[in-house]
Amino acid sequence: MWKYLMLSIVLAACRADVLGATGHCQSPDVQVPQTLARQIVQRLIKDETPDEQEQLIRDVEDRIAGMAGLFCAEAIDLDKDGRQDLLIRLYSSDLPGCGTANCSVWAYRRTAEGYELLLEGWGVVPIIALKTSTNGHLDLKTVERLSGVKRNITVYKFDSRQYRARECISRTYVEDDEGKGRGKPKRRRCDLE
C-alpha cells in the first residue's frame, strides 16, 4: 500500500513538472493560433451532436484565452525550412480528447497556406522531438500512460508525407529488492495506419 501511495505522489509531481510553473504549459509564450485552435476543437468534437458542439464551442470561446487556451504548444522547426512548426497537446478536460492521464497530441507543419497536420496521437506528456531525423524531419516520440506502472512509448518517423509509428515499446516499471524502480522494455507491434 505504501509503495502505491508513494508512486501516486511521484506521478502527480511528474505531471505537475511536465505542465510547468504557469499551471499548464512549459512554454507559455508559444500560443496556438486561434484559427488552428478552432480547427483542432472542431476535430475533437466531430462525434458530438450539433447542439453539444454548439455548447462546447460557446463554453471554450468564453474563456479568457479563448480556444488557444485549451492547448500547450512548442515551436520547433521539424524540417529545417526556417518556419516554426508546432507540437501541440490538449490541456483541457472540458473537451473530448483528454482522459485521466493522457490527452490528444498533434504535430503541425507550418506552410505558406497555414498549418498541415503531420501526426495525431495520444500521450501523458507533450510530443518529444528527438535528435534523430528521417526524410529531413526530426523523429518524434509519444509516451502513453496505461496504468501507474505501465507506459507505451512510440517513436514516429516521417515517410515523406506524414509521421508513422515505427518503433513501439511497452515498459513496466517494477521495484527491485532494494525498492528502486526498474523498467523492462518490451517491443510491441506498431499499429500502422
Side-chain angles (χ1 to χ4, degrees):
M1 176 71 173
W2 173 251
K3 291 178 183 179
Y4 292 110
L5 176 62
M6 290 305 295
L7 181 61
S8 297
I9 291 169
V10 168
L11 289 173
C14 290
R15 181 169 170 80
D17 182 49
V18 165
L19 297 177
T22 63
H24 68 283
C25 292
Q26 288 179 321
S27 303
D29 55 327
V30 177
Q31 280 206 336
V32 175
Q34 288 289 349
T35 55
L36 180 56
R38 178 174 280 284
Q39 289 174 18
I40 296 171
V41 167
Q42 289 172 336
R43 186 179 189 86
L44 286 170
I45 64 174
K46 71 180 182 320
D47 294 332
E48 306 297 325
T49 67
D51 288 341
E52 290 170 328
Q53 289 179 13
E54 188 177 310
Q55 183 62 48
L56 285 167
I57 287 176
R58 254 196 322 271
D59 290 347
V60 297
E61 283 179 337
D62 288 344
R63 294 170 169 254
I64 293 171
M67 287 190 188
L70 299 170
F71 305 97
C72 293
E74 177 186 355
I76 187 166
D77 189 354
L78 293 173
D79 56 0
K80 305 296 183 214
D81 68 352
R83 294 184 177 134
Q84 291 298 298
D85 306 307
L86 293 175
L87 301 179
I88 302 170
R89 182 178 188 269
L90 178 63
Y91 171 66
S92 174
S93 59
D94 295 343
L95 292 172
C98 251
T100 55
N102 301 297
C103 287
S104 295
V105 293
W106 303 269
Y108 277 89
R109 175 174 45 202
R110 188 171 184 182
T111 68
E113 294 81 36
Y115 286 91
E116 175 187 4
L117 179 64
L118 297 178
L119 170 65
E120 182 171 19
W122 187 250
V124 68
V125 295
I127 294 174
I128 300 161
L130 303 175
K131 293 182 185 206
T132 57
S133 63
T134 305
N135 293 319
H137 287 66
L138 292 176
D139 297 335
L140 302 175
K141 178 171 81 170
T142 60
V143 179
E144 180 183 1
R145 185 173 122 184
L146 302 177
S147 71
V149 297
K150 189 168 183 178
R151 306 284 184 277
N152 274 349
I153 301 159
T154 305
V155 174
Y156 295 87
K157 296 179 182 274
F158 194 71
D159 72 357
S160 77
R161 288 193 354 260
Q162 64 184 16
Y163 282 94
R164 301 266 185 203
R166 294 295 185 231
E167 297 173 23
C168 300
I169 298 167
S170 290
R171 178 169 261 172
T172 302
Y173 296 88
V174 295
E175 288 188 4
D176 61 16
D177 293 338
E178 297 172 1
K180 295 180 182 174
R182 302 273 188 235
K184 295 207 172 205
K186 182 188 235 182
R187 289 214 176 266
R188 63 183 168 80
R189 184 173 177 257
C190 290
D191 295 324
L192 300 177
E193 299 165 5

